[in-house]
Amino acid sequence: MTVLDLTVAAPDGACPVSLHLPDGDGPWPAVIMYPDAAGVRPTFRAMADRLAALGYATLLPDVYYREGDWVPFDVHTVFSDPDERARLASLARSLTADMVIADAGAFLEFLGGRPEVAGNRVGTTGYCMGGRISLIVAGHHADRVGAAASFHGGRLADASDPDSPALFADRVRATVYVAAAENDDLCPPEQLDRLAKAYTEAGVAHTIETYPGAHGFAVPDNVGPYDEALAERHWAALAALYRSL
């Protein structure tokens, strides 16, 4: 396993990224992995390693690069510490759809110029906040995203959200896989129904499932909600999804 710590010339400055490469000789299809609201941290670097081991050049960007050297969150205490919880919420709110769309353009251009990357079409995946970003990017960079996944993503089809992925379903050319969590206030069943209807009407190949677990089931350092069996199910789903790249 090779991991390259690099920077991408993003719209608002240099964005730190790590590029995780499979063993052996490339090039390989590429996937962009979007972290949850707590941002890049060791557990996501390990997850990017695992995705690379499946045969994909995996790009893990610091989505909060505009904040400079921001202090990482301790996911074990962030939600019980009012100040840290407020800081996390502020960072997450600061990341607009326009920003993530523009940043994705820079990431795609970067990947297109890397000798380790094969082909023009890439995959995306994301978790919690990153799941929504993954689907937004699929709707706004349709010529480049061939497969998009969201795991316990939030606000995937909020009727009051002008940037809802559901509103841009007719632009999507990717195959889409969505795995929601049970009893998740961030993405209740009516949002999943709205998203499914939008993708169906647009003719998008998609699968939307609800896993029998809590929000955060796929991310290992989410100690309470993490579920090893569901995490393995999520890896199997990604492996199947990205075979088309």
Side-chain angles (χ1 to χ4, degrees):
M1 180 73 60
T2 299
V3 180
L4 304 175
D5 290 302
L6 305 165
T7 57
V8 170
D12 293 310
C15 176
V17 301
S18 53
L19 183 61
H20 303 246
L21 302 173
D23 291 329
D25 297 326
W28 303 275
V31 174
I32 304 172
M33 176 179 283
Y34 289 102
D36 60 23
V40 172
R41 54 191 188 275
T43 201
F44 273 102
R45 289 180 69 96
M47 290 172 70
D49 282 347
R50 176 146 181 192
L51 188 53
L54 294 177
Y56 302 96
T58 304
L59 186 75
L60 179 64
D62 177 6
V63 295
Y64 296 137
Y65 74 92
R66 293 172 179 84
E67 301 299 318
D69 293 327
W70 57 278
V71 178
F73 294 98
D74 181 345
V75 296
H76 301 112
T77 60
V78 63
F79 292 108
S80 60
D81 182 325
D83 290 339
E84 282 294 88
R85 184 167 187 162
R87 183 169 72 94
L88 183 147
S90 177
L91 272 182
R93 285 195 301 268
S94 74
L95 201 58
T96 68
D98 286 343
M99 288 176 179
V100 301
I101 293 163
D103 290 345
F107 302 151
L108 291 166
E109 182 177 356
F110 170 83
L111 290 170
R114 296 296 304 186
E116 304 92 345
V117 172
N120 188 54
R121 304 274 273 174
V122 309
T124 62
T125 187
Y127 304 82
C128 182
M129 175 188 80
R132 180 172 178 270
I133 293 174
S134 174
L135 299 188
I136 287 174
V137 170
H140 289 81
H141 292 282
D143 59 328
R144 295 293 309 279
V145 179
S150 168
F151 294 92
H152 41 81
R155 297 180 62 235
L156 299 184
D158 186 329
S160 65
D161 178 11
D163 299 309
S164 165
L167 298 180
F168 303 96
D170 59 340
R171 301 182 185 180
V172 175
R173 294 166 58 189
T175 300
V176 174
Y177 181 87
V178 173
E182 281 187 328
N183 303 316
D184 189 349
D185 292 340
L186 294 174
C187 195
E190 57 267 26
Q191 287 194 32
L192 298 177
D193 291 344
R194 190 175 296 122
L195 186 65
K197 182 174 185 292
Y199 282 146
T200 298
E201 291 178 350
V204 175
H206 68 281
T207 301
I208 297 178
E209 300 180 318
T210 298
Y211 284 18
H215 183 90
F217 60 74
V219 179
D221 68 357
N222 288 335
V223 176
Y226 176 68
D227 185 305
E228 185 174 2
L230 296 182
E232 290 302 317
R233 179 176 169 183
H234 126 272
W235 287 118
L238 283 178
L241 176 67
Y242 294 145
R243 288 191 190 115
S244 61
L245 291 177

